[in-house]
Amino acid sequence: MMNMRNLRSVILCSGLLLFAACTKSEFLPDPAGSQVPFQPEATKTVEELLAASPAKLYYSAWQKSNIKTILKAKSSKLVYTVFAPNDAAMQAAGLTADAIGQMPVAKLDSLMMFYTTLGFVTERELKQRTDNFVVKTLLQQPGLYLPYFENPNSNQYDLYYYRNYVGLKGESLLVNGKNLGKLNYAPAVDGGLYILEKAIEKPTKTILEALTADGRFTIFLESQRLADESYIEAMINDMEPLFGYRPEPEEVLIYITSRKLYTVGWGINAPIYQGYIGPNITISTLFAPTDEAFHKAGFQTLADVMKFNERGASSIHFDESLFTGVGGFPMDTVYNFHRDWGRMFQPQTTGGDKALANTTIFYGNVLNAALNEYMVNVGGNAPAEFAYKMPIEFSSVNNSVQMKAKGSSYPAATVTETDINTLNGPIHVVDRLIFPKGFKLN
């Protein structure tokens, strides 16, 4: 078989998901310049609160940076909220006084912007929610572009700003599913200040990079890579007599956009052509099965999975009338529940219209039965009856999250680890494969 390890460098952006709308898990703060809500308890500015807070190291970095100039450039009547790690949290993150003193101002600016958001994120708002409040930070990652949603000056893409998902669990503050200590909030006349007992971990890896580096997911990764190789090889074999030459793998991609190649949504896609700027990253949630999860299902080795996939090999071919690849492997349906919410079973109209993809970014603190009625796809050209409801059933057993495909007779998977944060969204580790209803192992 051909080597396809570098396949992601040529994946087309047409495989990216589109965000339909802000949902209960995509609530963004009010924009700068919005009316300030009445806060009778607020008497000081954010900076005055910060100067008097136990976040002395953070405030020293604040003063050395250009953050005040950056904020002032946003609006003369700015409202903003700061999430400031206390001194112990800064030191645990390696941000000692000496380190701060030696940091270039540009890095300090990035640090301050990562912990700052425009608008209010009030304690009252958090206590009224059962989901997460999405905090759009001031820090942008150059070179990354999201599908268009909020940028009024572009109908092509949104810039990638780091987002932190903030919620409460009892008296604790959660950010991206992680407990950052006891809630410590002070309202300000121009926003608010949260003091954190732990630093927020900024994601640096893509999903693909995180999975590869982890080492627990080799069967999951390699079985998809090899399946994509086999699929593309089958396309090449069918296309060669039609085209009069043997196409290269890169040429095949435009004819198989209906297949979700294993790198799509897990990395950063290369531009379609030189100079193109457009969506190149997808953010969602992944439920990653460990090698042990495959063992529980009877697949002891990678070879076992590939042998099982041979059952579907005869269905894979290049359809001359549709001029596209059709067919698939049995494990495609299983993996689709792990990585794309079973959307391959999403209904469509007779004209081929489907409801648009809704936001599916869920950190561990919101993985519960409330998601069972969530609309994974809704809106767009398709009528309301074609909205696609969550195909996975979430439950809690002995304080552990369990999940299974609705109607499936297979044992539920337990989420054994949550919130491995990546540039593409959270990874949750599961101990079993999620088999859809009616799936045949034997």
Side-chain angles (χ1 to χ4, degrees), residues 271-314:
I272 297 175
Y273 51 83
Q274 188 174 5
Y276 172 82
I277 296 178
N280 61 359
I281 188 168
T282 301
I283 304 180
S284 188
T285 305
L286 172 69
F287 299 97
T290 61
D291 291 346
E292 180 60 29
F294 284 86
H295 299 164
K296 290 180 180 179
F299 302 107
Q300 299 306 314
T301 65
L302 172 62
D304 291 339
V305 178
M306 302 315 297
K307 183 173 179 60
F308 180 78
N309 265 344
E310 289 176 4
R311 299 182 184 186
S314 60

Side-chain angles (χ1 to χ4, degrees), residues 233-401:
E233 182 76 4
M235 294 299 107
I236 291 174
N237 291 336
D238 285 355
M239 294 164 71
E240 183 175 9
L242 293 172
F243 288 22
Y245 68 95
R246 190 167 181 81
E248 293 296 322
E250 291 82 1
E251 296 178 71
V252 173
L253 298 180
I254 61 173
Y255 302 102
I256 60 170
T257 55
S258 60
R259 178 174 179 81
K260 192 174 182 67
L261 298 173
Y262 91 110
T263 51
V264 171
W266 285 10
I268 301 169
N269 294 330
I272 297 175
Y273 51 83
Q274 188 174 5
Y276 172 82
I277 296 178
N280 61 359
I281 188 168
T282 301
I283 304 180
S284 188
T285 305
L286 172 69
F287 299 97
T290 61
D291 291 346
E292 180 60 29
F294 284 86
H295 299 164
K296 290 180 180 179
F299 302 107
Q300 299 306 314
T301 65
L302 172 62
D304 291 339
V305 178
M306 302 315 297
K307 183 173 179 60
F308 180 78
N309 265 344
E310 289 176 4
R311 299 182 184 186
S314 60
S315 71
I316 298 171
H317 65 280
F318 183 72
D319 190 303
E320 297 181 38
S321 60
L322 298 175
F323 230 60
T324 187
V326 296
F329 299 104
M331 294 302 287
D332 292 347
T333 59
V334 179
Y335 296 157
N336 197 256
F337 279 84
H338 284 267
R339 61 176 299 169
D340 196 30
W341 308 94
R343 283 190 173 106
M344 66 188 318
F345 298 108
Q346 178 187 351
Q348 62 181 15
T349 67
T350 54
D353 287 331
K354 296 181 179 181
L356 296 179
N358 206 349
T359 299
T360 48
I361 308 168
F362 303 115
Y363 285 85
N365 62 307
V366 296
L367 296 179
N368 54 53
L371 288 181
N372 295 345
E373 299 301 310
Y374 187 82
M375 289 300 176
V376 173
N377 288 68
V378 64
N381 292 329
E385 60 266 27
F386 287 90
Y388 180 52
K389 184 181 289 187
M390 173 67 70
I392 296 173
E393 178 183 340
F394 292 89
S395 60
S396 178
V397 178
N398 297 325
N399 295 320
S400 294
V401 176

Side-chain angles (χ1 to χ4, degrees), residues 48 73 111 129 225 239 267 282 327 403 418:
E48 288 171 340
L111 181 67
R129 303 177 70 87
R225 183 184 67 81
M239 294 164 71
T282 301
M403 53 186 296
T418 61

Side-chain angles (χ1 to χ4, degrees), residues 10 35 58 82 296 348 379 410 422:
V10 291
Q35 185 176 2
Y58 184 89
V82 172
K296 290 180 180 179
Q348 62 181 15
Y410 288 91
T422 75

Side-chain angles (χ1 to χ4, degrees), residues 101-239:
Q102 296 175 24
M103 285 178 69
V105 173
K107 286 192 174 182
L108 289 172
D109 291 346
S110 294
L111 181 67
M112 297 298 100
M113 288 190 287
F114 180 69
Y115 282 96
T116 305
T117 184
L118 300 184
F120 285 96
V121 186
T122 67
E123 177 181 357
R124 181 182 306 169
E125 170 70 35
L126 297 184
K127 288 183 174 180
Q128 290 175 343
R129 303 177 70 87
T130 58
D131 57 347
N132 288 324
F133 188 104
V134 183
V135 171
K136 179 182 175 182
T137 76
L138 295 180
L139 183 61
Q140 179 202 348
Q141 177 59 46
L144 295 186
Y145 305 95
L146 292 167
Y148 163 73
F149 175 71
E150 63 184 22
N151 184 357
N153 299 316
S154 169
N155 59 1
Q156 295 180 318
Y157 62 87
D158 286 341
L159 298 175
Y160 185 107
Y161 284 89
Y162 289 91
R163 283 169 163 78
N164 292 316
Y165 291 68
V166 182
L168 295 179
K169 183 177 182 180
E171 295 301 313
S172 297
L173 181 71
L174 306 182
V175 178
N176 302 330
K178 304 293 187 182
N179 188 331
L180 299 191
K182 186 176 181 180
L183 174 64
N184 185 348
Y185 171 76
V189 294
D190 57 350
L193 173 66
Y194 288 86
I195 301 298
L196 310 180
E197 296 177 13
K198 295 180 181 179
I200 302 173
E201 182 182 347
K202 187 180 77 172
T204 58
K205 296 178 180 178
T206 65
I207 279 181
L208 187 57
E209 290 169 339
L211 290 177
T212 302
D214 190 288
R216 289 177 291 173
F217 311 104
T218 56
I219 298 179
F220 185 50
L221 286 171
E222 284 296 286
S223 62
Q224 290 180 83
R225 183 184 67 81
L226 292 174
D228 287 346
E229 279 191 8
S230 296
Y231 190 94
I232 292 174
E233 182 76 4
M235 294 299 107
I236 291 174
N237 291 336
D238 285 355
M239 294 164 71

Side-chain angles (χ1 to χ4, degrees), residues 41-76:
E41 67 274 36
T43 59
K44 297 181 179 180
T45 65
V46 173
E47 185 165 5
E48 288 171 340
L49 290 173
L50 187 57
S53 77
K56 303 300 182 186
L57 288 173
Y58 184 89
Y59 186 53
S60 69
W62 175 280
Q63 290 178 302
K64 184 180 177 183
S65 74
N66 293 313
I67 187 63
K68 286 184 279 189
T69 301
I70 293 169
L71 287 169
K72 188 175 292 186
K74 299 290 182 181
S75 172
S76 59

